[in-house]
Amino acid sequence: AATLASQARSIAAWLERLGLGGKRILLIFPQSLEFIAAFFGCVYAGAISVPAPMPDPSRVARTLPRLQGILADAAPAAVLTNRDGVGMAAEVAAHLPELTKNLQWIAFEDCPWELETQWHRPAIEPHTPTHLQYTSGSTSTPKGTIITHANVLANVRELRDAMQYSPDARSVVWEPYFHDDGLIQGLIQPIFTGYPCFLMAPAAFVARPVRWLQAMSRYRATHTTGPNFAYELCIRKISDEERDKLDLSSC
């Protein structure tokens, strides 16, 4: 937690130095600890983060329309990603020119971490936006919702009480960070309540659904979350032999 807070303060001071404090920042990361630090760095800078999926140059027709819709609606001032994301930008821009036009791209790894001491707490009120949450865009153009700090706090408090989260809880999360449940219940809730959370890449789950349940068994998870299709995938793809090796009694 101390390392996360330190990184977030450094990122916030960096964003301020770049003139991006209070601006909309597109976050493009794989499922990683880097994203968590970047998200809270935006919070610490009073910036409005816009979590979005990492585009796949090999699947342009499927992955770029959603990003295109988000770019058009959110009009971010910059993109914060990792070096792999920066390297991918030029390739993707051949199909989506607006991804680099008038957009400042910055890499997580290039943050001057010594800037932590220069961070100053921004003026944040309950009604201040913390991030923009977008729909998947599977049936229409992605639609965004402004989420405020008050919204986030109300959500995590309700979830904590309804789901009985406590410091003794342990969760396993594979839902992507740009999904509302993956962000709020998967990442913010463990930090808010103070319990360990084990992260898994969505692709790792989809490739072998048993990995989700194996992680829950191995780490004695008390909580997890997922959409209907995830449970249906487990039923179809996990063999009886694999199920016999699981211990989900802690859930």
Side-chain angles (χ1 to χ4, degrees):
T3 299
L4 171 61
S6 174
Q7 289 182 332
R9 287 191 289 266
S10 295
I11 291 171
W14 187 34
L15 293 176
E16 289 284 359
R17 173 184 283 187
L18 295 173
L20 296 171
K23 302 293 180 65
R24 294 181 178 183
I25 311 294
L26 190 70
L27 301 182
I28 300 180
F29 286 90
Q31 196 89 333
S32 63
L33 297 178
E34 293 174 343
F35 168 80
I36 303 175
F39 178 84
F40 282 102
C42 288
V43 171
Y44 280 24
I48 304 170
S49 61
V50 187
M54 178 80 81
D56 184 348
S58 67
R59 302 165 65 196
V60 171
R62 183 171 181 178
T63 62
L64 292 194
R66 179 180 186 179
L67 185 57
Q68 186 175 29
I70 292 174
L71 281 170
D73 186 71
V79 179
L80 176 55
T81 181
N82 56 17
R83 285 179 184 157
D84 288 340
V86 172
M88 166 272 303
E91 184 177 357
V92 173
H95 306 278
L96 189 61
E98 54 265 49
L99 191 61
T100 55
K101 185 179 181 181
N102 299 323
L103 266 181
Q104 184 176 3
W105 281 70
I106 53 179
F108 176 91
E109 296 90 338
D110 294 335
C111 177
W113 302 113
E114 69 276 6
L115 289 181
E116 176 189 2
T117 57
Q118 299 181 27
W119 173 72
H120 299 285
R121 187 183 300 273
I124 292 176
E125 301 293 337
H127 62 270
T128 302
T130 177
H131 66 285
L132 302 183
Q133 182 67 59
Y134 279 87
T135 58
S136 65
S138 57
T139 58
S140 64
T141 302
K143 297 177 177 61
T145 300
I146 298 174
I147 308 297
T148 67
H149 286 263
N151 293 149
V152 173
L153 288 174
N155 200 345
V156 293
R157 285 169 178 152
E158 290 291 333
L159 282 170
R160 178 191 59 192
D161 296 340
M163 303 296 290
Q164 299 182 344
Y165 286 113
S166 74
D168 295 326
R170 300 169 75 85
S171 67
V172 171
V173 174
W174 62 264
E175 286 183 293
Y177 61 81
F178 51 83
H179 186 282
D180 58 342
D181 200 38
L183 177 61
I184 300 297
Q185 189 163 200
L187 300 183
I188 297 178
Q189 183 67 248
I191 293 172
F192 178 80
T193 304
Y195 60 84
C197 174
F198 301 90
L199 301 180
M200 176 183 295
F205 160 71
V206 173
R208 287 195 63 212
V210 71
R211 288 171 173 158
W212 180 24
L213 304 187
Q214 287 173 337
M216 292 169 62
S217 178
R218 181 181 307 117
Y219 298 117
R220 309 304 298 152
T222 58
H223 294 75
T224 193
T225 181
N228 288 346
F229 88 83
Y231 298 97
E232 294 167 357
L233 200 60
C234 287
I235 292 172
R236 296 199 313 269
K237 299 293 186 178
I238 299 177
S239 67
D240 290 339
E241 181 180 359
E242 288 173 323
R243 291 180 190 137
D244 288 341
K245 297 177 182 179
L246 300 172
D247 179 2
L248 303 179
S249 59
S250 59
C251 299

